[in-house]
Structures are given as structure tokens and as C-alpha cells.
């Protein structure tokens, strides 16, 4: 698979090893090697890549601090000698978490995971397609199903996949809810860690719950303010 990436690590030996693994084991394009976070920020400001290899223990800014400054859609593969940051790493768009020293076996497993991740994105939203056009395609078996946005009631996240619900059917999409959210705009809004709703389909809102068809969807405190800001514009 033809993907682009950069390496961000302050250890030259670690950078060299990862560069060799990428060149010998993949068809990826390594666009840059950055030895600190500021160098990486400057590069990413003017260049687009599919994902980044990111070390955690670096001077000036740690990898976690850098991840917090990057655009939320930035896909990350963390590379570190510290296992204790693994849980925190998945608060970002983390594809994998590689512990140093990185072995060939472990790198190949990561390679398969990375390419499977981007393969799933291509299955759901082919390159160049946007949800702003009023529809998108969902791969179901060997068939690409055309789904009209207006017909969608809500999306429900369930671990490694998302359930797309219309008035007629339910489809499973093997992506994370956060990835779906990034490709949607109004009238869709995130109301819960597990739900994105189509505000055109709302029947009523009561006691911090949304009623769509026969589904009662909770509105969490995390998303309540943003959701109600949209609703308040339509209250008479």
C-alpha cells in the first residue's frame, strides 16, 4: 500500500532502525525524519502525511504534548520504551503502540495493522469523496451501498466498528466513530462518546435524552453544550 509517513524521534539510532524497517518492508514513502517536536511541527505545517511515527520521551516537548498540538485527525503510531503511556496514547488517533527496541516481527505486525486501518477508510469513503455531496458509499461484502445522508437516523459506536442506522436498515462500518465524525458536518452532531445523531431526524429532547424513531439516545455532559447551542438556534 502506498502510504506516506514521517519519523519523529530524538534518538538517531532509533530513527535509523525505523527508516530501514520502512524501506525494506513496505512501499511507504518516508517524507521526513524529525529529531524534535518543533522540527516536526514546522514540517507538518506545510506537508501532509498519512500518519506519523512518534516517540514519547523527547526534549522540549514530549510525544504526548506534541500529539495534543496536532490536528485531531492526525494518525499516530507511538514508538517508545515506556509501556505506561499505552492507555493514554489511545486518547489520540493512535493506530498502534510500538515498544522499543522494535523487532522486525513486531514491525511487520504493525505494518499489517496500519495498512488494514487505511484499507478500511478506503472501503467506506473512496478517495476524493466527501459526505458534503449528500451521500456516501458503504462497503457491504463485495457491494458498495449508496447511503443518502438525509435517511440516516444516527451512528452508534461499538468498539472496533460503527452501526449506521436508517429507518429501513442497519449497517456495520469497520471504523471508529471519531473517524466517521471527521467526515460529517451539519446536520450531524456528536452527542455522546457512542453516538452521532442526525438533527433533522430528532422527534424530541427530554431529560438529557434525544428521541429518534423508537431510540432514546443519551446526551452526555461532554457534548451537551455544543449540541444545545445548535438546538437553541431553532427554539421559538
Amino acid at each position: 500500500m502506498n502510504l506516506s509517513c514521517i519519523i519523529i524521534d530524538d534518538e538517531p539510532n532509533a530513527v535509523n532502525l525505523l527508516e530501514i524497517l520502512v524501506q525494506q518492508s513496505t512501499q511507504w514513502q518516508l517524507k521526513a525524519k524529525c529529531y524534535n517536536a518543533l522540527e516536526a511541527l514546522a514540517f507538518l505545517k506545510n506537508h501532509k502525511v498519512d500518519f506519523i511515527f512518534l516517540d514519547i520521551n523527547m526534549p522540549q516537548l514530549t510525544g504526548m504534548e506534541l500529539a495534543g498540538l496536532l490536528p485531531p485527525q492526525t494518525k499516530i503510531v507511538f514508538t517508545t520504551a515506556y509501556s505506561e503511556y499505552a492507555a493514554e496514547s489511545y486518547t489520540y488517533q493512535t493506530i498502534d503502540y510500538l515498544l522499543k527496541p522494535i523487532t522486525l516481527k513486531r514491525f511487520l505486525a504493525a505494518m499489517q495493522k496500519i495498512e488494514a486501518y487505511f484499507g478500511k477508510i478506503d472501503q467506506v469513503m473512496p478517495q476524493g469523496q466527501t459526505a458534503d455531496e449528500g451521500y456516501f458509499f458503504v462497503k457491504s461484502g463485495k457491494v458498495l451501498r449508496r447511503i443518502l445522508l438525509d435517511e440516516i437516523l444516527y451512528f452508534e459506536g461499538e468498539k472496533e466498528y460503527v452501526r449506521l442506522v436508517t429507518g429501513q436498515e442497519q449497517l456495520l462500518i469497520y471504523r471508529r466513530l471519531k473517524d466517521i465524525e471527521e467526515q460529517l458536518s451539519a446536520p450531524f452532531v456528536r452527542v455522546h462518546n457512542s453516538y452521532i445523531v442526525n438533527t433533522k431526524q430528532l422527534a424530541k429532547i427530554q431529560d438529557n435524552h434525544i428521541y429518534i424513531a423508537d431510540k432514546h439516545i443519551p446526551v452526555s455532559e461532554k457534548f451537551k453544550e455544543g449540541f444545545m447551542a445548535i438546538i437553541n438556534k431553532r427554539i421559538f
Side-chain angles (χ1 to χ4, degrees):
M1 180 177 289
N2 186 18
L3 298 173
S4 60
C5 60
I6 65 171
I7 298 171
I8 308 169
D9 197 317
D10 66 316
E11 301 177 20
N13 289 339
V15 173
N16 292 339
L17 173 60
L18 199 48
E19 180 181 16
I20 291 170
L21 290 171
V22 169
Q23 291 177 342
Q24 293 184 351
S25 306
T26 77
Q27 295 180 329
W28 303 340
Q29 181 183 2
L30 180 60
K31 288 194 170 183
K33 296 176 288 184
C34 302
Y35 293 91
N36 60 65
L38 297 181
E39 184 181 351
L41 284 172
F43 179 86
L44 291 171
K45 184 177 180 180
N46 299 307
H47 301 83
K48 183 178 179 180
V49 295
D50 292 308
F51 68 97
I52 64 176
F53 287 105
L54 179 58
D55 184 30
I56 290 179
N57 188 23
M58 296 189 295
Q60 298 176 315
L61 287 173
T62 68
M64 288 298 177
E65 291 170 335
L66 174 59
L69 296 174
L70 295 173
Q73 69 272 20
T74 304
K75 308 300 185 293
I76 302 173
V77 176
F78 282 100
T79 59
T80 178
Y82 301 92
S83 60
E84 60 264 35
Y85 298 103
E88 182 183 354
S89 74
Y90 284 94
T91 61
Y92 303 103
Q93 291 272 29
T94 302
I95 302 176
D96 207 349
Y97 190 93
L98 293 175
L99 284 176
K100 297 177 180 177
I102 301 171
T103 64
L104 175 60
K105 180 180 179 180
R106 182 63 182 89
F107 179 83
L108 292 176
M111 179 194 73
Q112 292 178 345
K113 189 173 183 179
I114 292 164
E115 294 193 344
Y117 176 89
F118 285 100
K120 289 172 184 176
I121 290 179
D122 291 341
Q123 288 175 359
V124 177
M125 190 75 70
Q127 188 174 4
Q129 180 186 332
T130 67
D132 294 333
E133 296 170 348
Y135 66 92
F136 61 90
F137 289 92
V138 174
K139 188 170 185 180
S140 178
K142 296 183 179 180
V143 179
L144 285 173
R145 299 279 304 280
R146 185 173 182 267
I147 304 295
L148 297 178
L149 293 178
D150 284 345
E151 293 181 354
I152 297 171
L153 303 181
Y154 59 89
F155 295 88
E156 181 178 2
E158 300 186 14
K159 294 184 179 179
E160 295 299 319
Y161 60 88
V162 171
R163 186 182 305 277
L164 182 160
V165 180
T166 73
Q168 295 76 41
E169 61 183 337
Q170 299 186 15
L171 297 172
L172 293 182
I173 304 174
Y174 287 92
R175 291 179 64 191
R176 294 184 297 182
L177 192 65
K178 191 172 184 179
D179 298 328
I180 298 292
E181 181 184 13
E182 290 172 1
Q183 293 181 274
L184 295 171
S185 56
F188 292 91
V189 60
R190 185 81 171 264
V191 298
H192 189 276
N193 283 338
S194 299
Y195 292 98
I196 296 172
V197 302
N198 183 351
T199 56
K200 288 184 177 181
Q201 299 285 354
L202 299 187
K204 65 178 180 178
I205 304 167
Q206 182 178 353
D207 298 329
N208 288 328
H209 279 76
I210 293 167
Y211 292 74
I212 299 181
D214 59 351
K215 181 74 171 181
H216 301 174
I217 297 173
V219 180
S220 71
E221 287 299 321
K222 179 179 179 181
F223 298 100
K224 183 177 180 180
E225 183 177 353
F227 170 65
M228 290 309 301
I230 295 171
I231 297 302
N232 286 336
K233 294 178 181 179
R234 294 185 173 271
I235 295 179
F236 293 101

